Amino acid sequence: MPVHRRRFRIEEAFVGELPMSMPPEVDNGEVGPMHHEIMSELRAIRAQMATPSASVATGPIGEAASRETAEAHALLETYRAQIEQCEKLKVELDLIYDAISRTKREIAVLHGNSFNGEEMAKVNGELGAVVGGTEEATQQILEAAESIDNAATALSRITTPDQQKLLSEEIQERVVSIFEACNFQDLTGQRIKKVMTTMKFIENHITVMMDIWGGVDAIKAHAPPIVDTREGDARLLNGPKVEGDVGHASQDDIDALFD
């Protein structure tokens, strides 16, 4: 009696549809060659599935994976370069921040010790006192000189000893008055020295701020050009000349105009 065996789907995939009545090949109780062929194909498929790396590495999927890996490495290098640039930028920003902070401190010192209302009022007061004292002393000297001139003129016309003595005493008093008036330069010098001390203090701190931002040469590069906006006679007034000044006419130049 023939033995009927159930057909599997894998058999149908490889050998197609066979009549249900076709018996399998049996030889002395062993499976026929068709079964061996099917099992060989299954083992081949299993071997391929067990080692997918070789086929994937050489196939389209492997190429895509390699490309994505290369792109990831390139992106990582780009990020690293950007991080380095950010670190350099942070260093520069820290330097700028430090320079700004130091400049603020210098300005605060100037404002607290020189530019506040009390200190500037004192400077203005000292300069005002210098001007006032100079004018007062000049007026006193001129008056004394005028009195001396008048007394000398009268002395030349008087012959009596008593009148000559009175005029001589008056001249001496006026000379003493001139000497007293000349003492203004001592007070003026003291007042101007106070003002110069304040100006020197301001100059030192301004120099420090200029050094913070690169020194005098760096500041000059940003300085606007000097334009003389004076008109008329004011444009011709450049004196009084200080020793070492250029662009001024000397007395010899003036005298040469009248030769």
Side-chain angles (χ1 to χ4, degrees):
M1 181 177 179
V3 179
H4 294 281
R5 184 174 58 84
R6 184 173 64 86
R7 295 178 61 195
F8 296 96
R9 284 180 294 177
I10 191 62
E11 295 177 354
E12 295 177 357
F14 280 94
V15 301
E17 293 292 335
L18 295 176
M20 294 298 295
S21 60
M22 181 179 293
E25 299 179 10
V26 180
D27 186 8
N28 296 326
E30 296 180 0
V31 180
M34 181 62 70
H35 180 73
H36 290 291
E37 184 178 354
I38 292 171
M39 296 304 296
S40 298
E41 294 293 337
L42 289 174
R43 282 193 293 271
I45 292 173
R46 181 180 297 176
Q48 290 181 359
M49 294 179 64
T51 57
S53 57
S55 61
V56 170
T58 57
I61 298 178
E63 294 177 357
S66 300
R67 185 168 56 253
E68 291 178 357
T69 302
E71 292 177 355
H73 282 294
L75 186 61
L76 181 60
E77 292 298 328
T78 302
Y79 285 158
R80 288 177 179 174
Q82 291 178 350
I83 291 174
E84 291 178 358
Q85 293 295 330
C86 290
E87 291 177 350
K88 293 179 180 180
L89 180 61
K90 183 180 182 301
V91 172
E92 296 296 332
L93 290 176
D94 289 340
L95 292 175
I96 294 174
Y97 177 80
D98 180 66
I100 293 175
S101 298
R102 292 167 60 191
T103 304
K104 286 182 177 180
R105 288 195 295 269
E106 295 296 332
I107 293 175
V109 172
L110 286 175
H111 184 271
N113 295 278
S114 298
F115 291 156
N116 58 3
E118 181 180 355
E119 188 67 23
M120 293 308 296
K122 184 184 296 185
V123 171
N124 292 332
E126 295 291 349
L127 292 176
V130 168
V131 174
T134 303
E135 292 178 350
E136 182 179 354
T138 302
Q139 185 66 26
Q140 183 177 347
I141 291 172
L142 291 175
E143 290 178 356
E146 185 178 2
S147 298
I148 292 174
D149 182 65
N150 293 333
T153 302
L155 184 61
S156 63
R157 298 174 182 176
I158 295 176
T159 57
T160 61
D162 294 337
Q163 291 180 340
Q164 290 178 351
K165 182 179 179 182
L166 291 174
L167 291 175
S168 298
E169 291 177 353
E170 182 179 355
I171 291 174
Q172 290 177 351
E173 290 178 0
R174 294 299 180 179
V175 171
V176 172
S177 177
I178 291 175
F179 288 144
E180 291 176 350
C182 288
N183 290 331
F184 82 95
Q185 57 87 24
D186 185 25
L187 297 176
T188 299
Q190 295 179 23
R191 296 183 187 279
I192 292 177
K193 185 176 181 180
K194 292 180 180 179
V195 175
M196 291 181 64
T197 300
T198 302
M199 295 297 104
K200 190 66 176 178
F201 176 81
I202 295 173
E203 180 185 5
N204 291 337
H205 283 275
I206 290 177
T207 302
V208 172
M209 286 189 285
M210 293 173 67
D211 292 337
I212 291 173
W213 294 104
V216 178
D217 295 335
I219 300 299
K220 286 183 178 180
H222 300 278
I226 299 175
V227 179
D228 191 354
T229 58
R230 297 178 299 174
E231 297 179 356
D233 293 339
R235 192 178 183 88
L236 303 176
L237 299 177
N238 298 315
K241 178 183 177 182
V242 180
E243 184 179 358
D245 281 355
V246 296
H248 295 266
S250 64
Q251 186 61 46
D252 294 336
D253 296 333
I254 302 300
D255 295 338
L257 296 176
F258 299 96
D259 292 342

